[in-house]
């Protein structure tokens, strides 16, 4: 009898622990960014305590669980155990009917269940879970109590392309900083890190076959400061690049957070750093230094020379080995045609090949690159100048503003950034994949007066007037952090945060579910998270 009583008390104790519950939350108290698309609050919350188990069944679940456990301990001090058997505090389930990035999150006082068709959905479920965990302000005990609201969430992204771009060609920011950005992207369910690694001002990635690209191209003697054509410089040299081992490590770090890194290798313009390293790449055939001044420069790759074509393919081949991304970005923006117009051998080549304008020459070259990329199982992406449309009347050089007649290859993603939105609509209607990053709405280097938090939040990647049948060709958008005037991590953070959170919700949450006032309330919570990390965000909560 005594033994039976002890057994009964033990069972009662276990039951009491596993069913311990906290207060019920309202939906308005669930401050998650991006806002989930369907939320039901219908029961008491879970009290999160040390020693609970995250049950995993395979390597993918274990990788996600390891990150979840680590983040929860950092953010709350609560330690959860990862195990293959036992009573689950957190459990992953497979629902093959859910789309790739969709998830279902169910929280009761006893258990948290995350359902998805695979790794991406499970991961996003854990990111929502992290943001749901709330310190109980009503607890009478002096001991901090952490609650997970009782909810059922059915969620999936509006767009498949949810990107943040970091330009490191102008200023090298470093591996540790990149990982900080990746961590915050992951929390916000952004899935593409567009890495701008080559430009006039610097070459930031080791290429084994062409070592001078980093030995020479990654270094410049000075840097323009202030603003465009200010005439002022810092008086300090600047340089830096990533080794291939560092690239592999960062790519793996991103992949563990369901982020694909898309590298950008600029061609045929914005190529001064490469030409400074290897003069024979340039059309003008003149020795140059890596430019100190930012902006659009004179020389381009000489796309008429077979050895230059071979160079671009060699570099791409090494990028293929480093980046598993399906998409490779080739830039293609702001190409100055004057150097091609003034080059006798380029003009002769165009005449022989029946190429009418420099714009057609660029598309002819771009199509060759697209074919090579496609032959290697990848897909080319470029800024919308690759379509041959005139968007640069402001350059004041008539020959630079010619329209091309040559058609761009079809298996291309057009990254729209400038020009009339009708160009994006036209591209989508022709069947091109579109990423809409209209500069007036998505460029993070622009001031908060130019692009306020609210303006960023209200951006819609679907061009107005685009017929619904073509909406599937708009993959999403990206927010771009160009760094001409952002030489330090702190300045990049200030320009990026909090607007990155607005863009995360733009790409994830359905328009009818969005609400700026609700977003601002949720933002106050995530700002506390940034405070703990020492992130230098701009203290804005509306129109500035």
């Amino acid at each position: 009898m005594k033994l039976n009583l002890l057994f009964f008390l033990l069972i009662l104790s276990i039951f009491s622990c596993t069913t311990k519950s906290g207060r019920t939350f309202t939906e308005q108290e669930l401050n998650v960014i991006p806002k989930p698309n369907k939320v039901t609050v219908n029961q008491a919350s879970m009290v999160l305590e040390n020693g609970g188990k995250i049950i995993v069944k395979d390597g993918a679940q274990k990788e996600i669980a390891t990150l979840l456990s680590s983040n929860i301990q950092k953010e709350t001090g609560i330690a959860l155990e990862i195990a293959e058997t036992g009573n689950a505090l957190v459990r992953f389930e497979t629902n093959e009917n859910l789309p790739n990035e969709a998830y279902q999150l169910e929280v009761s006082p006893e258990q948290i269940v995350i359902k998805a068709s695979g790794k991406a959905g499970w991961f996003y479920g854990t990111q929502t879970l992290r943001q749901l965990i709330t310190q109980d302000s009503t607890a009478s005990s002096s001991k901090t109590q952490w609650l997970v609201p009782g909810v059922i969430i059915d969620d999936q992204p509006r767009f498949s392309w949810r990107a943040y771009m970091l330009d490191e060609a102008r200023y090298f920011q470093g591996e540790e900083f990149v990982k900080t950005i990746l961590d915050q992207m992951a929390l916000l369910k952004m899935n593409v890190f567009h890495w701008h690694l080559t430009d006039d001002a610097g070459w930031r990635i080791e290429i084994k076959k062409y070592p001078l690209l980093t030995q020479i191209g990654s270094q410049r003697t000075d840097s323009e400061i202030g603003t465009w054509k200010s005439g002022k410089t810092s008086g300090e040299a600047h340089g830096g690049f990533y080794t291939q081992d560092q690239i592999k490590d960062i790519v793996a770090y991103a992949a563990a957070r369901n982020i694909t890194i898309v590298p950008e290798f600029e061609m045929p313009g914005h190529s001064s750093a490469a030409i400074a390293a290897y003069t024979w790449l340039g059309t003008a055939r003149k020795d140059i230094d890596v430019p100190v001044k930012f902006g659009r420069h004179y020389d381009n790759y000489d796309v008429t020379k077979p050895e230059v074509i071979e160079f671009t393919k060699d570099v791409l081949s090494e990028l293929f080995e480093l980046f598993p991304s399906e998409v490779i970005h080739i830039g293609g923006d702001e190409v100055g045609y004057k150097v091609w117009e003034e080059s006798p051998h380029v003009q002769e080549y165009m005449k022989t090949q029946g190429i009418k304008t420099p714009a057609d020459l660029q598309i002819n070259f771009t199509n060759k690159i697209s074919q090579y990329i496609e032959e290697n199982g990848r897909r080319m992406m470029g800024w919308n100048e690759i379509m041959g449309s005139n968007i640069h009347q402001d350059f004041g050089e008539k020959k630079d503003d010619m329209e091309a007649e040559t058609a761009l290859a079809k298996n291309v993603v057009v990254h729209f950034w400038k020009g009339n939105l009708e160009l994006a609509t036209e591209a989508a209607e022709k069947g091109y994949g579109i990423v809409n990053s209209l500069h007036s709405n998505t460029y993070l280097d622009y001031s908060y007066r130019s692009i306020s938090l609210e303006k960023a939040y209200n951006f819609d990647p679907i061009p107005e007037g685009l017929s619904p049948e073509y909406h599937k060709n708009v993959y999403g958008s990206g927010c771009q952090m160009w760094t001409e005037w952002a030489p330090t991590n702190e300045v990049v953070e200030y320009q990026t945060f909090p607007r990155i959170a607005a863009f995360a919700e733009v790409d994830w949450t359905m328009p009818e579910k969005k609400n700026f006032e609700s977003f601002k309330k949720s933002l106050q919570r995530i700002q506390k998270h940034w405070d703990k990390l020492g992130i230098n965000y701009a203290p804005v909560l509306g129109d500035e």
Side-chain angles (χ1 to χ4, degrees):
M1 176 68 78
K2 191 173 183 180
L3 185 61
N4 288 341
L5 179 61
L6 288 172
F7 180 74
F8 173 76
L9 291 173
L10 177 63
I11 294 299
L12 182 62
S13 174
I14 292 172
F15 180 77
S16 298
C17 288
T18 57
T19 58
K20 187 176 182 182
S21 63
R23 68 184 181 88
T24 299
F25 287 73
T26 65
E27 186 173 345
Q28 288 69 35
E29 292 178 282
L30 308 182
N31 298 313
V32 177
I33 298 176
K35 186 177 182 180
N37 283 296
K38 184 178 180 182
V39 178
T40 303
V41 180
N42 61 358
Q43 55 191 318
S45 55
M46 169 186 280
V47 177
L48 200 62
E49 295 181 318
N50 282 307
K53 290 184 177 181
I54 307 174
I55 300 300
V56 299
K57 295 180 179 179
D58 57 33
Q61 291 182 1
K62 186 174 183 180
E63 184 178 31
I64 294 167
T66 300
L67 276 173
L68 175 63
S69 175
S70 174
N71 284 320
I72 287 178
Q73 187 157 17
K74 289 176 184 175
E75 292 157 11
T76 68
I78 292 174
L80 301 181
E81 179 185 347
I82 299 169
E84 295 180 2
T85 59
N87 293 324
L89 179 74
V90 180
R91 179 163 53 88
F92 299 101
E93 289 186 2
T94 301
N95 182 342
E96 295 180 351
N97 294 321
L98 291 175
N100 175 44
E101 294 186 303
Y103 68 92
Q104 295 173 331
L105 175 65
E106 299 179 10
V107 181
S108 71
E110 297 83 22
Q111 192 175 67
I112 297 167
V113 179
I114 302 172
K115 300 177 183 179
S117 61
K119 181 180 176 182
W122 289 325
F123 181 80
Y124 290 139
T126 66
Q127 300 314 298
T128 295
L129 173 58
R130 285 176 61 193
Q131 292 192 51
L132 285 174
I133 298 172
T134 302
Q135 189 171 343
D136 187 5
S137 58
T138 65
S140 57
S141 170
S142 58
K143 180 183 177 182
T144 299
Q145 184 167 268
W146 295 93
L147 306 178
V148 185
V151 293
I152 299 175
I153 294 177
D154 288 277
D155 200 15
Q156 67 183 79
R158 182 186 182 198
F159 294 106
S160 62
W161 188 283
R162 306 181 300 280
Y164 172 86
M165 189 213 81
L166 180 62
D167 164 31
E168 288 202 74
R170 275 64 180 221
Y171 282 101
F172 181 74
Q173 301 292 329
E175 183 175 1
E176 182 179 345
F177 181 73
V178 168
K179 288 180 176 179
T180 295
I181 292 291
L182 292 171
D183 284 339
Q184 300 319 301
M185 287 177 62
L187 183 62
L188 295 167
K189 302 186 182 74
M190 302 178 83
N191 65 348
V192 176
F193 180 64
H194 172 186
W195 208 359
H196 190 82
L197 291 166
T198 77
D199 210 296
D200 294 303
W203 186 284
R204 306 294 176 207
I205 179 169
E206 178 188 24
I207 301 298
K208 300 285 190 182
K209 190 169 182 178
Y210 299 96
L212 297 184
L213 289 173
T214 47
Q215 290 177 25
I216 294 174
S218 72
Q219 308 293 321
R220 62 175 184 265
T221 59
D222 206 342
S223 301
E224 185 178 22
I225 58 173
T227 188
W228 309 104
K229 300 179 181 179
S230 67
K232 301 176 182 178
T233 63
S234 68
E236 298 178 356
H238 181 79
F241 67 92
Y242 294 99
T243 67
Q244 292 200 356
D245 285 342
Q246 287 176 310
I247 293 288
K248 291 173 184 176
D249 177 66
I250 292 170
V251 167
Y253 190 91
R257 290 152 180 79
N258 203 55
I259 295 171
T260 298
I261 297 185
V262 174
E264 182 174 349
F265 165 26
E266 276 273 11
M267 60 178 96
H270 285 299
S271 49
S272 298
I275 294 171
Y278 296 98
T279 304
W280 52 269
L281 290 171
T283 303
R285 301 177 180 179
K286 295 178 181 178
D287 290 335
I288 61 171
D289 296 322
V290 177
V292 168
K293 293 182 179 180
F294 299 125
R296 182 172 177 259
H297 289 272
Y298 171 72
D299 207 357
N300 305 321
Y301 289 133
D302 186 347
V303 300
T304 71
K305 293 169 67 174
E307 55 267 44
V308 173
I309 304 298
E310 191 65 27
F311 165 82
T312 60
K313 292 180 178 180
D314 288 340
V315 173
L316 285 168
S317 293
E318 294 199 29
L319 294 183
F320 296 152
E321 291 296 318
L322 294 169
F323 298 95
S325 167
E326 176 192 358
V327 174
I328 303 294
H329 206 301
I330 60 94
D333 59 308
E334 298 183 327
V335 179
Y337 294 144
K338 184 178 179 182
V339 69
W340 286 348
E341 284 283 340
E342 294 178 349
S343 169
H345 73 273
V346 170
Q347 289 302 303
E348 180 61 28
Y349 176 87
M350 290 173 60
K351 182 178 179 180
T352 301
Q353 299 295 319
I355 298 172
K356 294 183 179 180
T357 71
D360 289 288
L361 178 61
Q362 181 179 351
I363 294 183
N364 178 275
F365 163 74
T366 301
N367 284 346
K368 290 177 184 176
I369 299 304
S370 173
Q371 181 180 355
Y372 181 72
I373 290 174
E374 190 170 356
E375 287 171 354
N376 282 272
R378 310 299 181 93
R379 190 174 181 188
M380 189 187 81
M381 182 176 189
W383 302 106
N384 57 288
E385 286 97 323
I386 64 174
M387 295 194 71
S389 298
N390 170 8
I391 65 170
H392 288 301
Q393 294 92 339
D394 53 323
F395 284 160
E397 298 173 10
K398 185 176 181 181
K399 291 179 180 179
D400 285 0
D401 297 332
M402 293 180 177
E403 297 275 353
E405 297 179 6
T406 308
L408 178 67
K410 283 294 183 183
N411 190 31
V412 169
V413 181
V414 177
H415 198 171
F416 186 82
W417 77 281
K418 188 173 183 179
N420 193 309
L421 274 172
E422 290 179 3
L423 295 172
T425 299
E426 179 185 345
E429 290 173 347
K430 288 181 177 179
Y432 292 102
I434 301 295
V435 172
N436 188 356
S437 295
L438 183 63
H439 71 101
S440 57
N441 293 72
T442 71
Y443 272 28
L444 295 169
D445 55 309
Y446 288 13
S447 71
Y448 282 85
R449 287 187 177 182
S450 178
I451 303 178
S452 69
L453 184 65
E454 185 169 12
K455 183 176 180 179
Y457 186 82
N458 288 330
F459 177 63
D460 190 342
I462 300 290
E464 186 176 356
L466 181 65
S467 298
E469 63 190 290
Y470 299 115
H471 286 192
K472 66 181 184 297
N473 292 336
V474 180
Y475 299 160
S477 71
C479 51
Q480 287 63 235
M481 184 61 240
W482 299 103
T483 61
E484 287 94 340
W485 319 116
T488 66
N489 295 169
E490 290 74 21
V491 178
V492 171
E493 288 175 344
Y494 188 89
Q495 294 297 121
T496 296
F497 299 92
R499 288 183 293 191
I500 188 174
F503 290 116
E505 196 149 308
V506 163
D507 284 330
W508 184 278
T509 307
M510 296 300 292
E512 63 271 19
K513 297 290 184 180
K514 291 174 60 185
N515 180 283
F516 185 60
E517 294 304 314
S518 173
F519 169 78
K520 287 193 293 182
K521 185 173 180 292
S522 297
L523 187 61
Q524 292 177 29
R525 171 171 176 157
I526 207 166
Q527 284 176 322
K528 294 178 182 177
H529 170 71
W530 294 338
D531 284 335
K532 291 178 181 179
L533 296 174
I535 288 175
N536 182 40
Y537 61 87
V540 295
L541 285 175
D543 285 322
E544 293 74 39

